[in-house]
Amino acid sequence: LEFIEKLKTRAGHRMTPCLVISGADEEAAITSSYEAGALDFIHKPFMPSDLARTVREVLDRPVVRS
């Protein structure tokens, strides 16, 4: 999460889409991932097809500039 937070502070990377892949399934871990700037949270273990679908969906989302 620290990496995402640092990435989002850099001017050229504020809009870089980030995913978190983790074995944690506590609500606090998921919430803190989104608060750090992740666009999606993928639980381990996962199917490669699920990861590919999630990446496609994230990349297809419209970019919202703040």
Side-chain angles (χ1 to χ4, degrees):
L1 300 182
E2 183 179 334
F3 173 78
I4 295 173
E5 291 169 346
K6 286 183 179 183
L7 182 71
K8 298 293 183 171
T9 64
R10 301 181 69 101
H13 297 283
R14 287 190 181 107
M15 303 309 295
T16 301
C18 297
L19 302 173
V20 171
I21 300 174
S22 176
D25 57 357
E26 300 86 26
E27 187 173 342
I30 298 167
T31 300
S32 61
S33 297
Y34 286 115
E35 288 173 350
L39 295 179
D40 214 327
F41 187 96
I42 300 170
H43 294 276
K44 287 196 260 182
F46 58 88
M47 299 289 294
S49 58
D50 290 337
L51 175 61
R53 178 184 40 73
T54 301
V55 169
R56 278 193 307 273
E57 289 172 357
V58 166
L59 293 176
D60 286 344
R61 291 179 189 170
V63 176
V64 178
R65 304 210 185 268
S66 54

